[in-house]
Each structure stands twice: as structure tokens, then as C-alpha cells.
């Protein structure tokens, strides 16, 4: 652990409850926590028209610039601020904006494929996999993508069937074996949440 920084990875399938778990921890520990999301590291596709970007497979490791994320996480672990890219889901492309992220005592790394990459997962002190039934995850993804990302119901379902589900089975589910903790239902699991909060509290108190 560099500079007394605790790095917690939260992985799991789309709509599993990763973000809810992460938000609960941020609400509990506030300024002591910073978050790094794998979603922001989707590759830039300026050379591709929007129609083609819509058809790409965004659920395989090659779609993400994970080596850049690993370098950024390593910098944060060493107490250095980073300029994190920002991804625009409505345009299916990385935006021209960046967000300045400062190192904190606790860094939460979140994403569906963060345990698939050894370079990235080796930078984490605690690895948590959120495990939720596939039908529940699909319903949550539809609700999120339609409401928050400007997607149509048809496009969400088609993407789920063609890439999300098969890539989950190929990459995400097998990465569960790298987790220290498997948490059913993510942030809705009060017992698991209490245990994780206790571990963070001990770290912050120097125990």
C-alpha cells in the first residue's frame, strides 16, 4: 500500500449494483474517498462515424484503454493527481474533457472488466465482485441506458443480446475468481456493506 492509500476494486456485471455500493461508501466516507471508473477509459473513436460507433463491442477488454487506467491508478497510489478522461455515452465516444482527480486515503476502482486485466488488479488491495441475477441486471441496464444515456429500448436489448451477455460470460463472470469478496446485490447487501465500511474505517484510523 503506497503512501497509506487503500485501493478497493469493485467489479461485476452490468447493472449488478457496483455503482450503488460505491456510492454508499462515498456517502459514508466523503472526502477520504476518490473514485476511478473504468467506463471513462473507453477508447477514442474519432475516425469512426456515429452509426459505426453504435455497432461496436463495448464489453470486451480491447474496447478500453486499460493500460492508461493502470498508469493513472499507479500515479494516484503514489500521491499524484491525474487528469481522467470523460466518456460520452450518448455519442459513443470519449469527450474532449478531462476531470482532475486528486489522491485520497481510499481509492475505489469500479468497472465490469477491472479484474480481467492483471496489471490493473495487481494495484488493488481489496477486490470485491458484486454478483446479481442476470434478469435483474438486464432490467437495471434498460432503465439506466434509456433514462440516463439517451438510448432506445430496442438498441439496449439488441446490444445486450449481441455483446453484453456473451462478453459477460466470456470475460466478466470468469474474473470473479480473482475477487477476495463476492457480494450478492451490491449496495443493497447491508451485512456486506457494514463489513466493508468497517475495513475502511480501520484503515482511516490507522488500525
Amino acid at each position: 500500500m503506497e503512501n497509506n492509500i487503500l485501493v478497493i476494486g469493485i467489479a461485476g456485471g452490468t447493472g449488478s449494483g457496483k455503482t450503488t455500493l460505491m456510492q454508499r461508501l462515498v456517502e459514508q466516507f466523503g472526502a477520504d474517498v476518490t473514485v476511478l471508473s473504468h467506463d471513462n477509459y473507453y477508447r477514442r473513436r474519432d475516425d469512426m462515424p456515429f452509426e459505426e460507433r453504435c455497432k461496436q463491442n463495448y464489453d470486451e477488454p480491447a474496447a478500453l484503454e486499460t493500460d492508461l487506467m493502470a498508469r493513472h491508478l499507479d500515479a494516484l497510489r503514489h500521491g499524484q493527481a491525474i487528469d481522467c478522461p470523460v466518456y460520452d455515452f450518448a455519442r459513443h465516444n470519449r469527450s474532449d474533457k478531462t476531470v482532475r482527480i486528486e489522491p485520497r486515503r481510499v481509492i475505489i476502482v469500479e468497472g465490469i472488466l477491472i479484474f480481467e486485466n492483471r496489471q490493473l488488479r495487481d494495484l488493488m488491495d481489496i477486490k470485491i465482485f458484486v454478483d446479481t441475477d442476470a434478469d435483474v441486471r438486464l432490467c437495471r441496464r434498460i432503465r439506466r441506458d434509456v433514462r440516463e444515456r439517451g438510448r432506445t429500448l430496442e438498441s439496449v436489448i439488441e446490444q445486450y443480446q449481441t455483446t453484453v451477455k456473451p462478453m459477460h460470460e466470456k470475460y466478466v463472470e470468469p474474473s470473479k475468481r480473482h475477487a477476495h469478496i463476492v457480494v450478492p446485490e451490491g449496495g443493497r447487501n447491508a451485512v456486506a456493506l457494514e463489513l466493508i465500511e468497517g475495513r475502511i474505517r480501520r484503515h482511516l484510523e490507522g488500525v
Side-chain angles (χ1 to χ4, degrees):
M1 195 183 309
E2 302 290 339
N3 293 335
N4 200 27
I5 290 174
L6 179 69
V7 180
I8 301 174
I10 303 178
T14 178
S16 60
K18 300 183 304 299
T19 302
T20 302
L21 176 58
M22 177 267 292
Q23 289 173 341
R24 295 285 176 85
L25 297 175
V26 171
E27 289 168 4
Q28 184 68 29
F29 298 102
D32 288 315
V33 177
T34 195
V35 175
L36 200 60
S37 175
H38 207 185
D39 281 354
N40 281 319
Y41 290 84
Y42 278 113
R43 295 186 181 278
R44 183 179 289 279
R45 299 180 185 271
D46 294 335
D47 58 337
M48 192 178 291
F50 176 76
E51 292 75 16
E52 285 299 311
R53 295 200 301 268
C54 291
K55 300 174 185 177
Q56 297 302 301
N57 182 353
Y58 292 96
D59 293 270
E60 63 175 349
L64 294 134
E65 202 172 352
T66 305
D67 55 344
L68 174 61
M69 186 183 190
R71 292 198 300 272
H72 280 177
L73 178 56
D74 193 47
L76 288 169
R77 289 173 74 247
H78 286 86
Q80 303 165 16
I82 60 133
D83 292 315
C84 179
V86 176
Y87 192 77
D88 184 340
F89 285 94
R91 294 176 53 246
H92 289 293
N93 203 7
R94 191 180 292 182
S95 76
D96 294 327
K97 301 176 182 178
T98 60
V99 174
R100 189 73 168 172
I101 296 181
E102 302 287 342
R104 297 286 185 265
R105 294 284 307 284
V106 177
I107 300 171
I108 296 176
V109 184
E110 178 264 340
I112 66 173
L113 291 167
I114 59 172
F115 296 165
E116 188 276 335
N117 182 279
R118 181 173 182 176
Q119 179 188 10
L120 185 60
R121 70 174 181 262
D122 283 351
L123 297 171
M124 303 172 195
D125 301 297
I126 300 173
K127 294 185 281 289
I128 301 167
F129 189 95
V130 179
D131 204 13
T132 303
D133 289 344
D135 56 346
V136 175
R137 291 190 290 102
L138 173 58
C139 290
R140 290 176 181 169
R141 184 183 178 101
I142 291 172
R143 189 181 304 119
R144 180 198 68 191
D145 283 6
V146 171
R147 289 181 180 176
E148 300 175 16
R149 298 180 177 178
R151 306 279 302 282
T152 65
L153 176 62
E154 292 76 13
S155 71
V156 177
I157 293 175
E158 181 181 0
Q159 185 182 34
Y160 184 85
Q161 292 174 332
T162 56
T163 60
V164 176
K165 186 176 185 292
M167 293 301 101
H168 176 87
E169 293 170 352
K170 184 175 181 179
Y171 295 112
V172 182
E173 188 68 24
S175 77
K176 181 165 63 175
R177 70 180 185 273
H178 300 297
H180 298 114
I181 306 166
V182 176
V183 178
E185 286 296 315
R188 293 173 173 81
N189 189 322
V191 174
L193 185 61
E194 184 177 351
L195 291 171
I196 297 165
E197 288 175 349
R199 176 64 184 86
I200 295 173
R201 196 169 288 110
R202 290 194 300 275
H203 167 72
L204 294 175
E205 293 171 354
V207 179

